[in-house]
Amino acid sequence: QDAEELVGVKDAVLSCAAAEDKDGWQYLFPVKNAMLRTRLALRCLDKWPLDACLEILAYCISDLGITDELKESLQSRRKELQVYQKILNVQNEPLWNDWQDLKKACTDDPQAVMNIILKAKDYELCEEWGHLYPVPREDLINLHREHLLHLLDVRDMEKAVQLLQRIEDPGICLAISEQSLDQHPNLAASHFLADYLTAHFYENLTTARQNEIQALYTGSKVLLTLPELSRVNYVHLSSRPLLMLEQLLMNMKVDWVAVAVQTLHQLIAGQEIGFTLEDIDNLLSKYAEKALNFPFTLKEKRSGRGNLPPESFHQLCHNIFRCVTISASPRDRSLQQNLFPEEFVPPEKPPPKQQWIPDDTEMICMVCKTERFTMFNRRHHCRRCGRLVCSSCSTKKMAVEACRENLSRVCDQCYRYHNRE
């Protein structure tokens, strides 16, 4: 009995020492009474350093002489402190001296803490932190959206599904999925989001959204009809197949248009995707009329559409284009060179950037004189001559005097001139 009383006295003295200051945690280990040690640890954690807190929590959790309720409290505090430890490790510059300062900042300025974590792109940590502190709905949606887009960008579809499954509020889950789709991610990510929305929220989607998803499926199949190396130039239009068709027309990809139109006819019959076969007809008609006004001389004189052979309307437009356009494909470059037999001679020295041809002075590529510049068909400056050219006419790179790059983008004419045999 005297021994037990002595143990009790020792525990009492050690407990007083442990609660005294920030170094008192070390006196907690010799305490024999597991319940006393655990309660004291939970009460005094805010006084002690982070590493010491994690060590004493692990020690208390491993003790079999405590209740399940106390063990749950210990595990909860350890999880909280581990989150603080991760946040302190991701900060580039030390903003908080210790975990106690960080804990105070989480309450006083949670946005600053969340920004530090997002800057480090540690989305899982941000999600863990969000379980500890209340995050406004819009901030929570933004956080999960950025996390989801990151997972989709690295093509980790399994973790993306797990993230969406962890979100308990269906409204937040719907908002995240729709906002992510509106960001027009890569094709695989767009299909993932479209499939998820269709499977889980189809009845909650607006008619416009349902049409957009159907258009995405349709546009993706049209995209697959294009040459593989050229798909990257049109993938951003996957959910807008009619605009993709117009872009092909602007770029005068006649053969591609013919296959795309045929594919669209097979896909949209009876489907609601935001446009109809009549819209396709109107688009082809518009560009067929432009083709008739093309500045080059036709091989055979045609007085108007009414005098052409009585073929189907789409084949008619296709034939007009074949007669009057110059394709940008390598196969037709010889025809292009026949139309422009005079060899281009670059300036003696590459012009400085301030002497390049201004963007707003030319609407058509200065090499092929065919491709029209649009918001999708961008202008490029040749680093050797300074002219405005299309992507099809600037496929080469070479060393250019006074350019910082080892190899600079140049037009095909400059490249041929400087690489003559």
Side-chain angles (χ1 to χ4, degrees), residues 132-311:
L132 299 176
Y133 293 92
V135 180
R137 178 185 171 87
E138 285 305 312
D139 290 341
L140 190 61
I141 290 174
N142 293 337
L143 162 63
H144 286 312
R145 184 191 66 234
E146 293 304 311
H147 189 186
L148 179 60
L149 287 171
H150 169 71
L151 292 174
L152 294 175
D153 188 51
V154 298
R155 299 184 183 275
D156 196 336
M157 305 306 181
E158 184 177 351
K159 282 191 176 181
V161 171
Q162 293 171 357
L163 169 62
L164 292 169
Q165 289 174 341
R166 287 196 301 270
I167 301 171
E168 297 178 356
D169 187 333
I172 290 180
C173 193
L174 173 60
I176 292 165
S177 302
E178 289 203 278
Q179 289 183 20
S180 298
L181 186 60
D182 289 337
Q183 295 289 320
H184 302 294
N186 60 64
L187 190 59
S190 295
H191 274 270
F192 172 90
L193 293 166
D195 291 342
Y196 188 85
L197 286 167
T198 301
H200 295 85
F201 298 105
Y202 191 79
E203 294 181 356
N204 302 99
L205 301 178
T206 64
T207 302
R209 179 68 75 184
Q210 292 174 3
N211 290 345
E212 179 187 349
I213 290 175
Q214 188 59 47
L216 172 65
Y217 294 141
T218 302
S220 299
K221 291 182 179 179
V222 172
L223 186 70
L224 292 175
T225 69
L226 306 182
E228 186 173 356
L229 295 179
S230 299
R231 292 172 192 167
V232 65
N233 299 322
Y234 301 91
V235 67
H236 60 288
L237 299 173
S238 298
S239 60
R240 306 175 70 184
L242 192 64
L243 190 57
M244 187 191 303
L245 184 62
E246 182 167 12
Q247 185 61 54
L248 292 171
L249 289 166
M250 286 180 178
N251 294 341
M252 298 187 179
K253 307 299 184 185
V254 183
D255 294 332
W256 303 358
V257 170
V259 178
V261 169
Q262 183 180 7
T263 303
L264 284 171
H265 266 260
Q266 296 170 353
L267 293 174
I268 69 176
Q271 298 284 348
E272 290 291 335
I273 60 174
F275 65 92
T276 64
L277 293 174
E278 184 178 356
D279 293 323
I280 297 177
D281 288 347
N282 291 336
L283 182 64
L284 291 173
S285 176
K286 171 185 172 183
Y287 280 87
E289 291 175 6
K290 288 186 177 182
L292 288 171
N293 296 322
F294 202 81
F296 295 107
T297 304
L298 301 180
K299 291 184 178 180
E300 53 184 281
K301 184 177 179 181
R302 298 176 185 264
S303 57
R305 200 173 87 188
N307 295 332
L308 289 172
E311 306 173 24

Side-chain angles (χ1 to χ4, degrees), residues 336-347 367 387 412-421:
Q336 197 171 307
Q337 292 166 4
N338 289 336
L339 289 169
F340 305 98
E342 184 178 349
E343 182 181 23
F344 173 75
V345 179
V367 173
R387 294 181 300 168
D412 292 356
Q413 288 181 334
C414 284
Y415 184 85
R416 283 198 301 269
Y417 183 85
H418 289 282
N419 289 273
R420 291 173 296 178
E421 295 182 358

Side-chain angles (χ1 to χ4, degrees), residues 376-394:
F376 301 114
N377 192 26
R378 295 178 52 241
R379 298 167 170 82
H380 299 278
H381 275 103
C382 171
R383 270 39 175 186
R384 183 60 188 79
C385 65
R387 294 181 300 168
L388 290 165
V389 297
C390 66
S391 58
S392 298
C393 293
S394 55

